[in-house]
Amino acid sequence: MSATYSITDLARQFGVTTRTIRHYEEQGLLSPRRDGTSRIFSNRDRVRLKLALRGKRLGFSLNEIRELFELYDLAKDEKKQLEEFLAKLEKRRALLEQQREDIEVMLNEISFFAGQCRRLLVGSRDDKTEKVA
Amino acid sequence: MSATYSITDLARQFGVTTRTIRHYEEQGLLSPRRDGTSRIFSNRDRVRLKLALRGKRLGFSLNEIRELFELYDLAKDEKKQLEEFLAKLEKRRALLEQQREDIEVMLNEISFFAGQCRRLLVGSRDDKTEKVA
DNA sequence: TCGGATCTTGACGTTTACGTAAAACGCAAC
DNA sequence: GTTGCGTTTTACGTAAACGTCAAGATCCGA
């Protein structure tokens, strides 16, 4: 019923190489079924790949991402370890909020610099370049 | 007049190793004066180290950070290359905004999960644990 | 003057996240 | 049947960002 994907399907969809996807499987991030020797990826795999790539953009290591996946799954089972999970979540939150701050600072600096640049570009020429792109 | 710092000063201030700082100098991110053979870091160096570490948190490579520093300095000189600078700034901005989006998504997911967890923790026990931490 | 702390420059080691090449299999089209 | 694409495993290579000694210079207080 649910859609399935070949390895190159997924690779193309997300702009990564097949090597990358195999690597993620080796690292335990993905676990596609097999049709003979070929990998068959489910929607679950697709979602995991998407999450993994987002995690990477945020600077998480593959190991950390795998841990998160495990906790994610685990949370459905054992209530006992929920506190541990919560603690990890809070750590992540703190990290992310730090990053968010960093990003705001950076964006502000970029705005400032861009403004400076545009002013210089306008002021320096004797063109009639009135249009401030 | 202006404060100066030894290599271990800076290392301690920012929670990195001296090796890291030497590495950054090798990569052209820092250029301390010398007192004989010893490195003497100025406030400018300190700021650069701070910026470098922030850049790292945002996933920039040391190479990219060095490029940014160079553009930063360069922008004071040549107006000619300001457009190039502006273009790079815009690329950064796009990247950062993507990251910001990623972070928002993540934070929302974390909030959601944390909520779920707390609900489970409360609902599962027959303690009188009324305090929802 | 001697020991300890701090600094230096090599230089090789390590981890992460893949790249890349080799050799072989399955299958569909021609 | 063979050409060719897509896939597989195996395995060595690599770039970045440091870690980790090693061996020596320098300074400083007891």
Side-chain angles (χ1 to χ4, degrees), chain A:
Chain A
M1 285 267 56
S2 218
T4 63
Y5 313 89
S6 78
I7 192 169
T8 37
D9 282 349
L10 282 190
R12 264 195 286 266
Q13 280 185 41
F14 292 102
V16 298
T17 68
T18 59
R19 176 67 179 95
T20 297
I21 293 181
R22 291 197 191 95
H23 185 56
Y24 286 7
E25 184 184 356
E26 282 173 22
Q27 301 305 308
L29 300 189
L30 304 173
S31 31
R33 311 194 307 274
R34 297 302 179 116
D35 173 15
T37 68
S38 289
R39 291 167 176 83
I40 308 282
F41 295 87
S42 67
N43 262 324
R44 181 164 185 277
D45 292 312
R46 213 191 87 101
V47 169
R48 290 218 162 192
L49 177 54
K50 189 170 157 188
L51 291 174
L53 294 175
R54 180 192 295 156
K56 284 222 59 194
R57 288 198 300 269
L58 292 173
F60 294 86
S61 74
L62 296 188
N63 229 309
E64 292 174 310
I65 292 170
R66 188 178 42 69
E67 277 183 42
L68 284 176
F69 283 172
E70 285 166 3
L71 287 173
Y72 207 89
D73 294 344
L74 175 153
K76 297 175 181 170
D77 292 13
E78 302 288 355
K79 329 174 184 181
K80 170 65 193 315
Q81 288 170 312
L82 283 178
E83 275 110 344
E84 184 193 345
F85 189 29
L86 264 176
K88 295 216 177 190
L89 282 183
E90 287 311 316
K91 275 195 176 178
R92 295 296 169 195
R93 188 206 297 278
L95 246 170
L96 289 174
E97 279 171 352
Q98 163 75 54
Q99 280 194 266
R100 187 163 60 174
E101 263 191 55
D102 287 340
I103 285 180
E104 291 308 322
V105 171
M106 276 284 206
L107 284 175
N108 283 335
E109 282 181 16
I110 285 180
S111 286
F112 175 72
F113 264 85
Q116 292 289 74
C117 286
R118 277 190 278 271
R119 218 161 307 151
L120 280 177
L121 284 175
V122 170
S124 66
R125 282 292 72 201
D126 42 7
D127 300 334
K128 282 94 187 177
T129 37
E130 298 279 11
K131 17 182 176 183
V132 181

Side-chain angles (χ1 to χ4, degrees), chain B residues 95-108:
Chain B
L95 247 170
L96 290 174
E97 280 171 351
Q98 162 75 54
Q99 280 195 267
R100 184 162 62 173
E101 263 191 56
D102 287 340
I103 286 180
E104 291 310 320
V105 171
M106 276 285 208
L107 284 174
N108 282 336

Side-chain angles (χ1 to χ4, degrees), chain B residues 43-105:
Chain B
N43 261 325
R44 180 163 186 278
D45 292 312
R46 214 190 86 101
V47 169
R48 289 216 163 194
L49 177 53
K50 189 168 158 188
L51 291 175
L53 294 175
R54 180 192 293 156
K56 283 221 60 193
R57 287 199 301 271
L58 291 174
F60 295 86
S61 73
L62 297 188
N63 229 309
E64 293 174 309
I65 293 170
R66 188 178 41 70
E67 277 184 42
L68 284 177
F69 284 172
E70 286 168 3
L71 287 174
Y72 208 89
D73 292 345
L74 175 153
K76 296 175 183 170
D77 292 14
E78 301 289 355
K79 327 174 185 182
K80 169 64 195 315
Q81 288 171 312
L82 284 178
E83 276 110 344
E84 185 193 345
F85 190 28
L86 265 176
K88 294 216 179 194
L89 283 183
E90 287 310 317
K91 274 194 177 181
R92 296 294 168 199
R93 187 205 298 276
L95 247 170
L96 290 174
E97 280 171 351
Q98 162 75 54
Q99 280 195 267
R100 184 162 62 173
E101 263 191 56
D102 287 340
I103 286 180
E104 291 310 320
V105 171

